[in-house]
């Protein structure tokens, strides 16, 4: 670890480096370990130095969400069909959240309206609008998709495994639940995600068809 530097000295840091270090710390030790003092120590600077790059801890948390979301954003929305784009984004986002499970509670509790996240949202809305979605429905679709993905990731981060627990229930009392869980198998998370995502996108498709017929 680099030696501590004088308070206020930038030490060649950037906002990106600070956010990456914060995410690494949370990945390793959880959100409770994150403080400006601890992060400064990890970077070898005084805590006050960090305020040159993030004005406060709220901005730090929002920036961490930005980092996770950035891992899932495609190079360009609109390069494929809207359904393919949303499917790829959903799969990439759930993978990013799976790689950073301690950061999932942040996405459940914060909108993180950073300029970078807003540019991503703007591009996704533009893609859906160009595909024929009315603007309000384009935004609704994105909120619905993101809520679904984050909820699934939260269940995984909390090690919620309904199939496994149901399979061990009393089959005389709950024959259908037990049978369904056993047929599904122990690790059905990916299959459940794909099933629910397909159903969600099919609903969006019906909404788009309905919007087209009313024009």
């Amino acid at each position: 670890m680099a030696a501590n530097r004088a308070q206020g000295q930038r030490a060649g840091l950037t906002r990106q480096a600070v956010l990456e270090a914060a995410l690494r710390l949370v990945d390793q030790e959880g959100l409770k370990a994150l403080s400006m003092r601890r992060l400064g120590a990890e970077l070898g600077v005084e805590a006050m130095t960090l305020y040159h790059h993030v004005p406060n801890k709220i901005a730090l948390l929002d920036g961490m969400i930005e980092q996770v979301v950035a891992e899932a954003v495609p190079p360009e929305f609109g390069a494929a069909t809207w359904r393919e784009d949303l499917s790829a984004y959903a799969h990439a986002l759930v993978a990013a959240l799976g790689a950073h499970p301690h950061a999932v509670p942040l996405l459940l509790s914060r909108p993180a309206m950073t300029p970078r996240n807003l540019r991503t949202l703007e591009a996704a809305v533009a893609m859906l609008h160009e595909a024929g979605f009315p603007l309000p429905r384009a935004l609704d679709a994105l909120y619905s998709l993101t809520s679904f993905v984050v909820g699934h990731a939260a269940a995984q981060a909390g090690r919620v495994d309904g199939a496994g627990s149901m399979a061990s229930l009393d089959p005389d009392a709950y024959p259908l639940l037990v049978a369904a869980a056993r047929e599904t198998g122990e690790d059905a998370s990916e299959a459940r995600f794909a099933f629910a995502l397909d159903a969600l996108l099919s609903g969006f498709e019906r909404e788009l068809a309905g919007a087209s017929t009313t024009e």
Side-chain angles (χ1 to χ4, degrees), residues 73-143:
V73 175
E76 180 184 2
F77 281 111
T81 67
W82 69 265
R83 183 162 179 154
E84 291 169 336
D85 273 351
L86 288 189
S87 179
Y89 175 59
H91 281 285
L93 182 57
V94 81
L97 293 171
H100 306 287
H102 293 304
V104 172
L106 290 177
L107 277 85
L108 289 169
S109 61
R110 309 187 61 78
M113 295 297 185
T114 67
R116 188 176 184 179
N117 280 353
L118 289 172
R119 286 194 296 272
T120 296
L121 191 62
E122 180 78 9
V125 167
M127 177 270 293
L128 290 172
H129 188 47
E130 288 172 7
F133 284 86
L135 277 175
R137 283 290 175 259
L139 193 57
D140 288 345
L142 286 177
Y143 274 125

Side-chain angles (χ1 to χ4, degrees), residues 13-205:
L13 286 181
T14 63
R15 177 178 179 272
Q16 182 70 18
V18 170
L19 298 179
E20 289 175 356
L23 193 55
R24 282 196 304 271
L25 177 59
V26 169
D27 284 344
Q28 294 166 4
E29 302 183 33
L31 279 169
K32 291 183 178 179
L34 182 64
S35 69
M36 299 302 269
R37 183 183 297 274
R38 176 66 189 282
L39 182 57
E42 290 291 314
L43 290 166
V45 298
E46 296 288 343
M48 290 302 296
T49 302
L50 302 178
Y51 292 104
H52 289 288
H53 308 285
V54 286
N56 48 51
K57 191 171 180 181
I58 290 175
L60 176 66
L61 297 176
D62 286 347
M64 289 170 59
I65 296 175
E66 177 187 291
Q67 286 294 108
V68 175
V69 172
E71 294 182 15
V73 175
E76 180 184 2
F77 281 111
T81 67
W82 69 265
R83 183 162 179 154
E84 291 169 336
D85 273 351
L86 288 189
S87 179
Y89 175 59
H91 281 285
L93 182 57
V94 81
L97 293 171
H100 306 287
H102 293 304
V104 172
L106 290 177
L107 277 85
L108 289 169
S109 61
R110 309 187 61 78
M113 295 297 185
T114 67
R116 188 176 184 179
N117 280 353
L118 289 172
R119 286 194 296 272
T120 296
L121 191 62
E122 180 78 9
V125 167
M127 177 270 293
L128 290 172
H129 188 47
E130 288 172 7
F133 284 86
L135 277 175
R137 283 290 175 259
L139 193 57
D140 288 345
L142 286 177
Y143 274 125
S144 299
L145 182 76
T146 303
S147 297
F148 159 65
V149 173
V150 174
H152 178 85
Q156 294 305 109
R159 295 178 175 83
V160 175
D161 187 358
S165 59
M166 287 184 183
S168 62
L169 293 173
D170 179 357
D172 292 328
Y174 311 102
L176 297 181
L177 291 177
V178 172
R182 289 178 179 175
E183 287 183 29
T184 299
E186 293 184 2
D187 187 13
S189 174
E190 290 186 12
R192 281 203 181 98
F193 180 80
F195 169 77
L197 177 61
D198 183 69
L200 187 64
L201 295 177
S202 294
F204 294 166
E205 202 159 43

